[in-house]
Amino acid sequence: MKGESMQVTRAPHGATGARIADTLRSAILAGDYGPGERIHPDRVAEEAGASRLPVRDALRMLQAEGLVNLVANTGAWVSQLNAVECQELYQMRERLEPLLLRLNVPLLAESEIDRLQVLADTMETSEDIERFLELDREFHLSCLEAAPTTLLADTVRGLWNRTQHYRRRATRLFYTDGDRSVHHDHQLIVHALRTRDAEEAERVLAGHIRRSRLELTRHPEVFDTAESR
C-alpha cells in the first residue's frame, strides 16, 4: 500500500518533471548554464509554469545523468570538473566507449550507417562550433544505441554529459588551430562500421578520445569557469 500511495502521489508530476528535465538538459548542454552555476528551482518553476515538485523530479533526473549536483537542503548546481577529474572521466571514456561501440558494430542497420556518413560529411564542412558540437554528439551517441546493455550505455552517456562544457571549450581551440584530425577519425569510424570491422572501429575511437584527452592537458585554461561557458 505504501508503494501504491507513493506512485499515486508522484504520477501528476511525472510528465511535467520530464518536460522540465528536457528543457534544463538542453540548456545545460548548450552552455546556457555554466559549470558550477547554481540552478534556482523557484525560477525554473516560474518559467515552466509549474510547482517546485516536478522541478525537484527534473533535477533528480539530471543528477542521475551526471549533469547536476544536488546538495541536501542546500540546492542544485551544474556539474563542474577540475583538470584531474576531467582526465579521469576521459580515461574511462577511452576504455568504455570503444567497448560499447564494438558491441554495436554488428547490430547497426545500413540506413543508420548512411545517416552517420551524412553527419560526418556535414561536420567536415561546418564552420559553426555549436552546430559541430550538436552533430558530433549525435554522431557518437547514435553509434551506441543498438546494443542492449545493463550499465555500459548509461555510463558512457553520463561521461559525455559531465564533460560537455570542457569539450565545448576544447572544440573552440580545435577550430582556431585548424586541426582536421577529428574529421578524419569520423570518416574512419564510418568505414569500419560499413565493413563491420569491430576491432578497427574500437581502435579508431579509442585513439580519437585519447587525442582529445591529451589536448585537454595542453590547455588548462579550459577549466577556467569563465572560459568554459
Side-chain angles (χ1 to χ4, degrees):
M1 292 296 294
K2 183 177 179 181
E4 293 176 0
S5 175
M6 288 177 63
Q7 187 174 10
V8 170
T9 301
R10 291 186 177 184
H13 309 295
T16 304
R19 174 173 59 82
I20 294 171
D22 286 343
T23 300
L24 282 174
R25 182 186 302 107
S26 296
I28 292 170
L29 293 175
D32 296 338
Y33 288 91
E37 184 172 348
R38 187 167 188 172
I39 299 174
H40 298 278
D42 288 338
R43 188 180 304 164
V44 173
E46 181 180 354
E47 292 174 351
S51 70
R52 289 192 63 173
L53 288 175
V55 174
R56 290 173 188 165
D57 289 343
L59 291 173
R60 291 191 190 102
M61 293 179 204
L62 298 179
Q63 181 183 42
E65 296 175 15
L67 287 171
V68 168
N69 291 326
L70 297 178
V71 180
N73 303 316
T74 304
W77 286 263
V78 176
S79 297
Q80 185 175 13
L81 301 173
N82 60 37
V84 174
E85 291 166 337
C86 194
Q87 283 294 307
E88 178 181 336
L89 297 187
Y90 260 87
Q91 287 180 27
M92 290 175 66
R93 263 194 70 201
E94 196 175 324
R95 288 154 179 79
L96 296 180
E97 192 173 329
L99 170 61
L100 181 56
L101 179 61
R102 184 185 189 97
L103 298 177
N104 278 267
V105 170
L107 303 177
L108 286 166
E110 285 295 330
S111 59
E112 180 61 26
I113 298 173
D114 290 341
R115 191 171 75 90
L116 292 170
Q117 182 67 70
V118 171
L119 290 172
D121 292 344
T122 303
M123 280 187 282
E124 195 160 2
T125 59
S126 175
E127 296 183 357
D128 182 273
I129 293 175
E130 289 302 319
R131 181 61 174 157
F132 170 83
L133 285 165
E134 178 184 345
L135 295 175
D136 184 60
R137 182 182 176 89
E138 182 180 355
F139 177 89
H140 285 285
L141 295 183
S142 293
C143 294
L144 310 175
E145 295 176 347
T149 65
T150 303
L151 294 173
L152 187 55
D154 286 343
T155 300
V156 169
R157 186 176 292 272
L159 294 171
W160 266 83
N161 288 342
R162 294 188 66 187
T163 57
Q164 176 72 12
H165 295 290
Y166 310 99
R167 185 163 49 255
R168 172 175 285 104
R169 178 56 181 162
T171 300
R172 288 172 181 161
L173 294 171
F174 153 76
Y175 268 87
T176 300
D177 294 344
D179 183 359
R180 309 297 293 176
S181 58
V182 63
H183 299 304
H184 183 59
D185 289 344
H186 290 158
Q187 296 292 346
L188 288 175
I189 289 170
V190 172
H191 182 266
L193 296 176
R194 183 84 67 191
T195 58
R196 305 296 174 174
D197 190 337
E199 183 175 346
E200 176 67 3
E202 188 175 21
R203 184 192 66 79
V204 173
L205 181 57
H208 182 72
I209 299 169
R210 180 177 181 273
R211 188 181 297 110
S212 296
R213 175 172 62 81
L214 294 177
E215 188 67 23
L216 283 167
T217 65
R218 291 190 283 269
H219 295 283
E221 69 272 20
V222 165
F223 300 93
D224 183 327
T225 302
E227 292 292 334
S228 298
R229 296 192 61 183

